[in-house]
Amino acid sequence: MTETAKDRYEQVAASVAEITHNAGRTTEDVTIVAVSKTVGLEEVAQAIEGGANNFGENRPDELMKKADAFPDCTWHFIGNIQSRRIKDIVGRASLIHSLYEKKHAEKINAVAAEMGIVQDVLLEVNVSGEESKSGISPDETKELLFFCESLPHLRVRGLMTMAPRNNRQGEIDTFSGLSNLRSELWSLLPVEQAQDFTELSMGMSEDWPVAIEEGATLVRIGRAIFSEDF
Ligand SMILES: *Cc1c(COP(=O)(O)O)cnc(C)c1O
């Protein structure tokens, strides 16, 4: 019998639980975001059968299609933000992981205000400094954080990053760097804002175990769940 997304999700979930436990953390501390950007509704349904309930998409059209088909799941937007598509993302995505521009923060705030909601976001940080990666530099994060905290319809839940590929030390440095930055910024926030600023979205199919050891609370896993030849 061929493996399906259900089988692979079950295997990934078991490995995540084991690594989380070995890192001295509890399974409730780590949420698996199944990144379904390369697959259709059928594979999403299979992953749900395997226990998945958080999904990530990087394109507004796919987010709309899948979030509307599976409204009981929690949907995450992890892709590049375009101003004109913000209206399609706000509200549909429970959490936007990839905010790093003030102008987008303002627009998300305005759309959320119109809808009468508060939108949860993460700030995307380019910890490794690689040119190919998007995100704000660690040095600039404090200013963006305080700017976002001044917008009443945004709630900043934490930080997100991507590590360099195929470079174990780079992964460790990137993930521990994000964790340290979160702690530093957390200590500067007023209590009510600090208590919401707890999330670290880091780790993908190839590096999630390192990310969990470094404190990830959200791991974004695509190919290990949805690809037949990962
Ligand atoms: C595609 C993607 C992922 C998942 O990557 P895999 O290597 O397939 O696990 C995670 N995060 C972001 C931002 C992505 O675009």
Side-chain angles (χ1 to χ4, degrees):
M1 212 185 88
T2 54
E3 273 195 1
T4 65
K6 171 180 184 286
D7 305 315
R8 286 187 298 264
Y9 185 86
E10 286 169 349
Q11 289 157 14
V12 165
S15 307
V16 166
E18 188 187 339
I19 299 278
T20 302
H21 180 78
N22 291 347
R25 308 179 59 204
T26 54
T27 42
E28 298 90 76
D29 293 345
V30 181
T31 298
I32 300 171
V33 177
V35 177
S36 48
K37 66 190 181 192
T38 58
V39 299
L41 297 176
E42 193 183 326
E43 287 88 348
V44 171
Q46 289 168 354
I48 291 170
E49 263 188 74
N53 47 32
N54 281 261
F55 290 90
E57 286 291 333
N58 66 347
R59 298 231 179 105
D61 288 334
E62 288 293 305
L63 174 73
M64 290 167 81
K65 185 173 90 184
K66 291 172 190 157
D68 294 352
F70 299 102
D72 294 340
C73 293
T74 301
W75 290 87
H76 300 249
F77 188 77
I78 63 172
N80 189 38
I81 297 172
Q82 290 177 290
S83 284
R84 66 190 173 83
R85 300 308 303 272
I86 283 174
K87 62 176 187 344
D88 299 323
I89 302 170
V90 171
R92 249 190 208 93
S94 299
L95 183 62
I96 299 174
H97 292 228
S98 42
L99 175 62
Y100 61 93
E101 291 194 66
K102 278 188 183 174
K103 65 170 197 235
H104 292 154
E106 282 172 330
K107 180 108 191 250
I108 293 169
N109 182 66
V111 172
E114 236 168 72
M115 295 172 70
I117 63 168
V118 173
Q119 176 68 53
D120 281 349
V121 300
L122 304 176
L123 304 184
E124 181 171 355
V125 186
N126 183 354
V127 178
S128 65
E130 287 176 289
E131 256 176 54
S132 60
K133 300 248 184 306
S134 41
I136 196 161
S137 77
D139 289 347
E140 295 167 325
T141 308
K142 178 181 162 192
E143 200 211 326
L144 180 63
L145 172 63
F146 279 83
F147 178 78
C148 290
E149 295 287 15
S150 76
L151 301 172
H153 291 272
L154 273 197
R155 179 163 50 212
V156 187
R157 302 301 315 278
L159 304 175
M160 181 274 230
T161 200
M162 311 233 284
R165 294 174 69 96
N166 307 317
N167 171 350
R168 189 43 54 102
Q169 193 57 47
E171 292 164 6
I172 295 171
D173 293 347
T174 300
F175 296 149
S176 65
L178 193 74
S179 176
N180 291 337
L181 181 62
R182 191 206 65 87
S183 305
E184 208 178 287
L185 296 171
W186 180 84
S187 68
L188 302 175
L189 288 171
V191 178
E192 322 81 68
Q193 292 175 349
Q195 71 193 8
D196 291 327
F197 190 70
T198 52
E199 305 292 336
L200 287 172
S201 169
M202 53 191 202
M204 321 200 320
S205 290
E206 279 165 85
D207 55 17
W208 63 262
V210 181
I212 288 177
E213 279 164 20
E214 298 298 338
T217 63
L218 295 150
V219 287
R220 309 179 308 271
I221 302 180
R223 285 168 300 142
I225 297 168
F226 292 110
S227 168
E228 273 160 31
D229 42 37
F230 175 71

